[in-house]
């Protein structure tokens, strides 16, 4: 399994779709699975039940997906999915973890008109993003590979190449 992690707006969902369509990976989108399970949008969950509840549900669904060991699949996580130590440990032990990186200015441009992200609501969006980015910037450092998301096709090719190499090395070690 390939797990895509990274800051909000880094392009994880878009890249997940590229990997699924171009390379035939089964696509798991953690946020969409949470919304289906809860029958609410992420913003509604945050507003009605709080971030702590959301993170608990997120962790449980993450554990369920990763524990099943789907080999030819891509898991798209939310930007905060790696905030819990147990989630990071699970991802690194059971999948090939990709930190999808984007320049902060690119992230701001991508999210300028996005009203679906609850942690960015209210106040100055760019300032809120900067604070959140500073708080989370080191949370993604555990990844096996960091890939820039400027060009999604190029990023997908790098990830697939890295995934093949990762699997080859893993089989040699077994």
């Amino acid at each position: 399994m390939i797990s895509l992690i990274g800051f909000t707006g880094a392009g994880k969902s878009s890249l997940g779709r590229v990997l699924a369509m171009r390379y035939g990976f089964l696509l798991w989108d953690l946020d969409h699975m949470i919304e289906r399970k809860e029958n609410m949008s992420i913003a509604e969950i945050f507003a009605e039940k709080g971030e702590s509840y959301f993170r608990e549900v997120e962790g449980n669904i993450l554990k369920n997906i990763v524990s099943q060991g789907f080999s030819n699949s891509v898991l798209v996580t939310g930007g905060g999915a790696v905030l819990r130590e147990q989630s990071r440990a699970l991802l690194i032990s059971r999948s090939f973890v990709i930190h999808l990186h984007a320049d902060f200015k690119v992230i701001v441009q991508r999210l300028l008109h996005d009203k679906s992200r609850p942690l960015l609501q209210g106040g100055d969006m760019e300032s809120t993003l900067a604070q959140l980015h500073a708080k989370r910037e080191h949370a993604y450092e555990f990844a096996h590979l960091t890939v820039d998301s400027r060009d999604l096709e190029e990023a997908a090719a790098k990830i697939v190449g890295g995934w093949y190499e990762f699997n080859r090395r893993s089989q040699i070690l077994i």
Side-chain angles (χ1 to χ4, degrees):
M1 171 178 281
I2 297 171
S3 295
L4 301 178
I5 66 169
F7 191 67
T8 186
K12 299 177 298 293
S13 294
S14 297
L15 184 59
R17 287 189 296 274
V18 169
L19 288 165
M21 291 187 298
R22 190 167 202 44
Y23 295 96
F25 287 96
L26 178 64
L27 181 63
W28 300 93
D29 187 305
L30 191 54
D31 282 350
H32 288 150
M33 295 176 77
I34 293 167
E35 288 178 333
R36 264 188 292 156
K37 180 190 179 301
E38 294 295 310
N39 201 28
M40 313 170 101
S41 71
I42 301 296
E44 290 170 330
I45 296 167
F46 267 72
E48 294 181 26
K49 299 182 178 184
E51 183 176 1
S52 180
Y53 176 83
F54 173 81
R55 296 291 174 214
E56 187 67 32
V57 172
E58 179 182 58
N60 290 336
I61 293 175
L62 176 70
K63 182 178 179 182
N64 185 31
I65 295 168
V66 175
S67 296
Q68 292 184 43
F70 298 104
S71 60
N72 195 29
S73 61
V74 174
L75 170 63
V76 174
T77 67
V82 299
L83 296 178
R84 294 174 146 199
E85 174 59 37
Q86 61 266 40
S87 295
R88 290 190 302 273
L90 183 64
L91 287 169
I92 201 71
S93 69
R94 304 293 295 270
S95 67
F96 181 52
V97 182
I98 305 300
H99 169 210
L100 194 59
H101 177 267
D103 183 74
F104 183 74
K105 290 181 183 197
V106 171
I107 290 171
V108 171
Q109 282 303 117
R110 289 178 180 169
L111 299 178
L112 203 53
H113 302 291
D114 189 336
K115 303 294 183 208
S116 69
R117 298 170 195 260
L119 293 177
L120 301 180
Q121 301 309 307
D124 176 30
M125 192 267 303
E126 188 169 347
S127 175
T128 302
L129 258 180
Q131 290 172 9
L132 193 58
H133 189 265
K135 187 175 168 182
R136 291 185 180 174
E137 69 181 322
H138 298 293
Y140 311 108
E141 292 177 348
F142 73 98
H144 293 105
L145 180 65
T146 297
V147 175
D148 189 280
S149 68
R150 273 179 287 199
D151 182 324
L152 293 179
E153 291 292 335
E154 184 179 310
K158 285 180 182 177
I159 289 168
V160 170
W163 181 69
Y164 283 123
E165 180 62 23
F166 176 79
N167 284 326
R168 187 185 68 75
R169 280 186 312 207
S170 296
Q171 290 176 356
I172 290 171
L173 297 174
I174 295 176

